[in-house]
């Protein structure tokens, strides 16, 4: 569970932040009949999850879909939302060694990896401080542990395998024996998760993610205070559902030790830019999109093929793609793709996030562990930096936390 801290059952609840973490907690508290108030410093709810629209189509400022489980699906059903399901047969590409690939390894590389699966995992690869690169390098080799894993994982974590803390990324799996044993135990745990929480699928909504935020907000509308951020009070359970730095600012007066720790958590800056073209990017047809290797120092980290994901909301002869990367204008990075010409751009619209995604490195893990030791009674932390990064896991954590409360 990603909610850090314990509620004092004798005190009322005050939630700070109406992003997905705060909204989810508020929804489940309201459903259970718990009294609370939700304060949002801006004039709208949803946090980073916002949808805009122009004459060519929808522009998502952050997540364009939710990867579901039974808990998320139940929430969507309760909100009476109609969903668009991402087709299962779409290809997923990585751009590696100047080619789009669905499988990154050559024939002989695959054979060597299969042979190494029986190799015992070195002790240094399983240290508490080990990165994803450290763990997989003996199995995959230097290049694939650095480039291929970074490419595959940056779609979620937006950072390199050398930066990613292994145990924060792969929370299950027995590392005491061989790589084969680890992978078997890891996928068994995933199967156990699916058995508990149900099958997953990627979904969105006809008018974008704003539909989800709008409906979720409507269920607790009379308990949200906009343009409001009162000081933390010992008369309340203070549940802080903001980014780590903002949480640190809120805690300046109440808990300076925790405040300083949270301000040290680092975030990756990202740009999300949706472009509308007269002609498609032919190499991405019938695909989810592509993730790009750090190998050539691309500023572009990924492309989402919006037409393939949600054909029902695509306009005729207009081709929509969302670019994710670390540069204000990412369109220059498309020049190597077949079918792309600058004159084909009808429109480009995006959002720059200075603090987009917390970096799941060993420093974050150490800060979170230290934070648990200095959390004062009645103060709780919940956000995408506390242990769950995806929307699915944040919603699931909110559900489990509230279900564990005594009414």
């Amino acid at each position: 569970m990603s909610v850090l801290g314990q509620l004092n059952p004798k005190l009322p609840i005050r939630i700070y932040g109406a992003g997905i973490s705060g909204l989810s907690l508020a929804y489940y508290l309201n459903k259970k009949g718990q009294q609370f108030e939700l304060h949002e410093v801006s004039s709208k709810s949803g946090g980073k999850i916002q949808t805009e629209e122009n004459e060519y189509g929808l522009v998502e400022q952050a997540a364009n879909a939710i990867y579901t489980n039974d808990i998320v699906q139940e929430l969507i059903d309760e909100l009476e939302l109609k969903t668009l399901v991402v087709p299962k047969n779409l290809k997923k590409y990585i751009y590696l060694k100047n080619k789009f690939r669905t499988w990154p390894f050559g024939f002989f590389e695959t054979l060597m990896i299969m042979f190494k699966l029986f190799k015992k995992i070195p002790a240094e690869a399983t240290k508490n401080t080990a990165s994803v690169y450290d763990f997989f390098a003996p199995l995959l080799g230097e290049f694939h542990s650095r480039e291929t894993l970074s490419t595959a994982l940056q779609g979620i974590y937006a950072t390199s395998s050398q930066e990613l803390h292994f145990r924060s990324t792969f929370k299950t799996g027995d590392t005491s024996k061989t790589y084969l044993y680890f992978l078997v135990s890891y996928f068994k745990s995933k199967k156990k998760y699916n058995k508990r929480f149900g099958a997953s699928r990627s979904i969105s909504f006809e008018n974008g993610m704003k539909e989800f935020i709008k409906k979720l907000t409507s269920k607790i509308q009379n308990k949200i205070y906009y343009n409001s951020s009162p000081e933390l009070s010992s008369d309340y359970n203070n549940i802080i559902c903001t980014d780590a730095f903002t949480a640190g600012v809120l805690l300046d007066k109440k808990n300076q030790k925790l405040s300083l720790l949270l301000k040290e958590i680092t975030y990756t800056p990202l740009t999300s830019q949706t472009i509308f073209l007269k002609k498609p990017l032919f190499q991405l047809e019938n695909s989810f999109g592509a993730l790009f290797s750090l190998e050539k120092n691309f500023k572009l980290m990924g492309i989402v093929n919006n037409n393939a994901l949600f054909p029902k909301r695509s306009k005729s002869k207009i081709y929509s793609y969302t670019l994710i990367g670390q540069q204000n204008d990412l369109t220059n990075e498309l020049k190597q793709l077949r079918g792309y010409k600058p004159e084909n751009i009808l429109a480009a619209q995006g959002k720059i996030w200075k603090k987009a995604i917390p970096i799941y490195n060993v420093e974050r893990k150490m800060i979170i562990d230290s934070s648990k030791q200095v959390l004062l009674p009645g103060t709780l932390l919940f956000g995408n930096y506390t242990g769950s990064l995806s929307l699915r896991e944040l919603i699931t954590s909110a559900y489990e936390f509230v279900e564990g409360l005594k009414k």
Side-chain angles (χ1 to χ4, degrees), residues 40-268:
E40 167 54 43
V41 71
S42 75
S43 59
K44 58 185 178 182
S45 60
K48 292 184 176 68
I49 310 299
Q50 304 290 335
T51 309
E52 296 184 356
E53 188 171 5
N54 59 35
E55 60 183 303
Y56 302 109
L58 299 180
V59 177
E60 299 285 9
Q61 293 190 355
N64 67 345
I66 306 177
Y67 197 50
T68 69
N69 58 18
D70 285 351
I71 290 170
V72 176
Q73 188 59 55
E74 182 180 42
L75 171 60
I76 289 166
D77 292 342
E78 289 171 358
L79 296 175
E80 299 179 323
L81 285 165
K82 293 182 179 179
T83 59
L84 300 177
V85 181
V86 174
K88 290 184 178 181
N89 59 346
L90 296 178
K91 295 177 181 177
K92 294 181 181 179
Y93 289 117
I94 66 170
Y95 191 76
L96 192 67
K97 296 182 178 179
N98 298 322
K99 288 184 180 180
F100 285 99
R101 304 163 183 264
T102 54
W103 179 251
F105 308 109
F107 176 75
F108 289 108
E109 286 177 320
T110 303
L111 285 179
M112 286 299 296
I113 290 169
M114 290 176 67
F115 176 76
K116 290 180 180 178
L117 284 172
F118 298 94
K119 183 178 180 180
K120 182 173 173 58
I121 301 171
E124 59 269 22
T126 62
K127 290 180 180 178
N128 289 334
T129 57
S131 67
V132 169
Y133 172 87
D134 294 333
F135 182 81
F136 283 103
L139 175 66
L140 302 178
E142 181 182 335
F143 176 83
H144 285 296
S145 297
R146 184 184 70 249
E147 298 296 336
T148 305
L149 283 179
S150 295
T151 306
L153 292 171
Q154 71 184 3
I156 301 171
Y157 295 97
T159 193
S160 72
S161 63
Q162 292 158 303
E163 188 82 62
L164 272 175
H165 180 232
F166 172 71
R167 271 304 173 201
S168 296
T169 312
F170 296 87
K171 297 177 183 178
T172 55
D174 189 341
T175 60
S176 64
K177 299 179 182 178
T178 64
Y179 281 99
L180 179 61
Y181 194 85
F182 162 74
L183 291 172
V184 170
S185 62
Y186 174 74
F187 285 111
K188 276 185 177 179
S189 67
K190 299 292 282 186
K191 187 176 180 180
K192 187 177 179 181
Y193 176 95
N194 291 337
K195 187 176 180 180
R196 181 184 175 191
F197 292 109
S200 299
R201 57 181 185 163
S202 289
I203 60 152
S204 191
F205 313 93
E206 187 175 346
N207 295 308
M209 292 292 288
K210 67 180 179 183
E211 273 194 59
F212 176 62
I213 296 299
K214 185 177 179 180
K215 241 345 181 15
L216 193 56
T217 302
S218 71
K219 298 295 183 180
I220 51 173
Q221 188 65 60
N222 62 337
K223 297 183 179 180
I224 302 179
Y225 297 85
Y226 292 104
N227 302 306
S228 174
S229 183
E231 287 190 5
L232 302 185
S233 170
S234 56
D235 295 328
Y236 287 86
N237 285 295
N238 303 285
I239 309 181
I240 305 174
C241 299
T242 67
D243 65 78
F245 184 83
T246 303
V249 172
L250 283 168
L251 284 157
D252 269 336
K253 294 179 181 179
K254 189 176 177 64
N255 189 337
Q256 195 171 35
K257 285 184 179 179
L258 183 57
S259 172
L260 292 172
L261 283 170
L262 294 176
K263 289 177 182 178
E264 290 298 314
I265 291 179
T266 52
Y267 280 70
T268 300

Side-chain angles (χ1 to χ4, degrees), residues 341-370:
K341 294 180 180 179
E343 57 266 30
N344 284 336
I345 294 182
L346 294 166
Q349 186 174 336
K351 179 72 176 181
I352 300 169
W353 299 104
K354 292 182 179 179
K355 289 186 175 71
I357 297 177
I359 300 177
Y360 268 55
N361 51 19
V362 66
E363 287 78 16
R364 183 209 66 89
K365 178 65 166 60
M366 292 171 68
I367 289 169
I368 292 301
D369 288 347
S370 297

